[in-house]
Amino acid sequence: MAVTASPADVLRSGLDVSEPGGEFSSRAAAEAYVGKVCFKQGPPLLIGAELEWLTAQGELSATNSRPDLTVLADALGPYAPRSISPDSPADPLPGGSRVTLEPGGQIELSSAPFGTAAELCERLRADTTSLRELLESRGIRTLSAAADAVRQPLRVLGLPRYQAMERSFAALGPFGALMMCNTAATQVSVDAGADPAEIAARWRVLHAVGPALLAAFARSPGLHTAPPGVWASQRMRAWQRLDPLRTRPPVQDWADPITGYARWALDVPLLCVRSADPQAADWSAPPGATFADWLCGALDEEIGRRPDRSDLDYHLTTLFPPVRAAGHLEVRYLDAQPGDDWSVPVYAIDALLSDPGTITEATALAAGTADRWSEAARCGLADPDLRAAAVALLDLATAHAATPTAAAELAAATERCRRGLMPTGREDDGGA
């Protein structure tokens, strides 16, 4: 089983072994399908990552500084995603990464999966350089900030998915637009595990260490138009507040993550419903209706059909928990890091999951802060318990780093956290 950095790729791979378009006979059948597709079993060998950057064309403070999509597509050429260039071959960059675009013009690289974190970082760093050169050829800058503190949230992608998402989140408050348009993350993807017991252990540790690592890598104190408040990670604040049913599953209540995740997924409200008409622009879902409602026939009048496997696959891509099960386990709680320092959380996750003993030790070290997500986003390393947990976990990661380079980067991050300092970079993040 291979991990990939893109959840959509994993979900598509699930369709390869099933009849496309088939309807589910029952909720139990749908839950079994989710468990099979979202938690692919196999030796945990591979690692991937997704990097996001804010983008600007001209001065960041200008009202029209988000890049023009035509110019962006021209800059990317054969690497342009089809969301902005429908006829593009959407080729991977030389290091294997694919380019995608977020609703507010943020650019994203999704790596290929690799057998070591060292190879992943080497190839992804090369693709990062290639991407910057392509964009700079048309005057587009990438900004390694986790939140945009300067610009109003403005969606530049007009896809039906994002129109429906914007409408749905707008009913819940301001954080949906902010998340969609003004935030950027570093995401790390790892294999789920060889069997249910290993999957459960890896799932538990990724959640247990989450608040401490969120605090360790928080660096988004400013977010333009966000409600008042002092936060270490305004990016994570936005995720926590925009739609709790979609972003904050009750994982502490799950004895088994595979069955728990499947049940939760079916009970999350629909974010959108794809239309069979390719020209249809409105993918809005019935307000408050869940996938389970659609499955049991409660939405027959509104939607006019029952969901099939492709509908469930798509629904799974609209779930945004701190750790998303997408065949592999996708860590989503880390702010975008300055410069090339995104390699530090990659090395940290890789080391903390390097063997069963380290997983057990990391879970124990993080036990005291495992449920302190809000405090981590608000206070970061200013909270003494979170700072102590972050230092202990990064010390452990340093001891189990796979290479001297990884160990050196992790040791430096440990010392930074010990001093209570937020990650900073030498490059100008445009005030974002």
Side-chain angles (χ1 to χ4, degrees):
M1 189 277 295
V3 68
T4 70
S6 168
D9 289 342
V10 174
L11 296 178
R12 281 193 292 272
S13 72
L15 291 179
D16 293 340
V17 295
S18 62
E19 289 295 327
E23 293 187 357
F24 296 99
S25 59
S26 65
R27 173 172 178 140
E31 288 184 5
Y33 179 76
V34 172
K36 177 181 178 181
V37 170
C38 289
F39 295 89
K40 292 185 177 298
Q41 297 184 24
L45 301 174
L46 302 177
I47 185 168
E50 296 182 14
L51 308 178
E52 296 173 352
W53 295 270
L54 304 177
T55 57
Q57 197 169 6
E59 291 299 320
L60 186 66
S61 58
T63 56
N64 60 345
S65 65
R66 296 181 193 267
D68 179 89
L69 297 186
T70 301
V71 176
L72 189 58
D74 182 56
L76 293 172
Y79 310 113
R82 296 191 179 98
S83 60
I84 61 172
S85 182
D87 296 327
S88 171
D91 291 336
L93 290 164
S97 306
R98 294 189 181 274
V99 181
T100 55
L101 197 69
E102 295 298 309
Q106 307 96 312
I107 203 86
E108 179 182 75
L109 280 186
S110 296
S111 79
F114 294 99
T116 67
E119 185 180 8
L120 165 66
C121 290
E122 179 184 358
R123 300 286 288 276
L124 194 49
R125 192 169 287 114
D127 281 349
T128 297
T129 299
S130 297
L131 176 64
R132 286 174 176 159
E133 291 173 351
L134 289 168
L135 296 178
E136 288 172 359
S137 72
R138 299 297 186 274
I140 299 171
R141 292 182 294 139
T142 56
L143 309 170
S144 57
D148 191 331
V150 177
R151 297 178 293 188
Q152 293 277 348
L154 177 66
R155 182 169 55 85
V156 298
L157 277 184
L159 302 179
R161 170 188 173 100
Y162 296 130
Q163 293 178 10
M165 185 182 294
E166 186 175 64
R167 283 191 291 267
S168 177
F169 289 154
L172 302 174
F175 288 104
L178 289 168
M179 175 279 295
M180 292 172 66
C181 301
N182 279 38
T183 64
T186 295
Q187 299 176 12
V188 184
S189 295
V190 294
D191 283 324
D195 54 51
E198 185 171 45
I199 288 171
R202 291 166 70 84
W203 174 266
R204 280 195 299 269
V205 73
L206 290 175
H207 283 86
V209 305
L213 293 187
L214 165 59
F217 297 104
R219 58 178 300 266
S220 52
L223 180 59
H224 193 59
T225 73
V230 178
W231 292 73
S233 177
Q234 291 275 10
R235 184 197 67 85
M236 195 61 179
R237 177 196 190 189
W239 278 109
Q240 290 179 333
R241 297 289 184 85
L242 69 92
D243 184 356
L245 293 176
R246 189 177 311 280
T247 64
R248 303 178 73 174
V251 295
Q252 67 278 1
D253 299 333
W254 297 350
D256 169 24
I258 299 176
T259 57
Y261 194 92
R263 291 169 184 166
W264 168 72
L266 295 190
D267 289 330
V268 172
L270 294 165
L271 191 59
C272 57
V273 176
R274 295 174 302 162
S275 173
D277 179 2
Q279 303 301 317
D282 187 0
W283 286 12
S284 297
T290 68
F291 194 91
D293 293 332
W294 190 10
L295 185 66
C296 75
L299 306 181
D300 282 356
E301 290 186 3
E302 291 93 332
I303 298 179
R305 63 181 180 85
R306 298 287 176 89
D308 60 20
R309 290 186 179 95
S310 66
D311 292 310
L312 182 49
D313 289 339
Y314 199 84
H315 175 66
L316 294 172
T317 71
T318 69
L319 309 180
F320 308 120
V323 180
R324 180 159 62 183
H328 57 275
L329 304 180
E330 181 184 81
V331 175
R332 300 173 53 84
Y333 46 71
L334 302 167
D335 278 4
Q337 296 299 290
D340 285 338
D341 288 354
W342 48 262
S343 58
V344 183
V346 170
Y347 289 141
I349 296 293
D350 180 60
L352 293 175
L353 272 69
S354 57
D355 61 74
T358 307
I359 289 173
T360 299
E361 187 173 355
T363 304
L365 288 172
T369 58
D371 61 350
R372 301 189 63 190
W373 291 98
S374 293
E375 293 91 335
R378 182 186 293 275
C379 303
L381 294 171
D383 182 292
D385 293 332
L386 286 163
R387 184 169 66 250
V391 168
L393 288 168
L394 290 174
D395 258 336
L396 179 64
T398 303
H400 292 272
T403 66
T405 296
E409 291 190 20
L410 289 166
T414 305
E415 180 58 26
R416 171 183 60 77
C417 290
R418 186 175 282 112
R419 297 168 62 194
L421 300 178
M422 184 177 290
T424 56
R426 289 173 294 177
E427 67 181 57
D428 175 21
D429 283 333

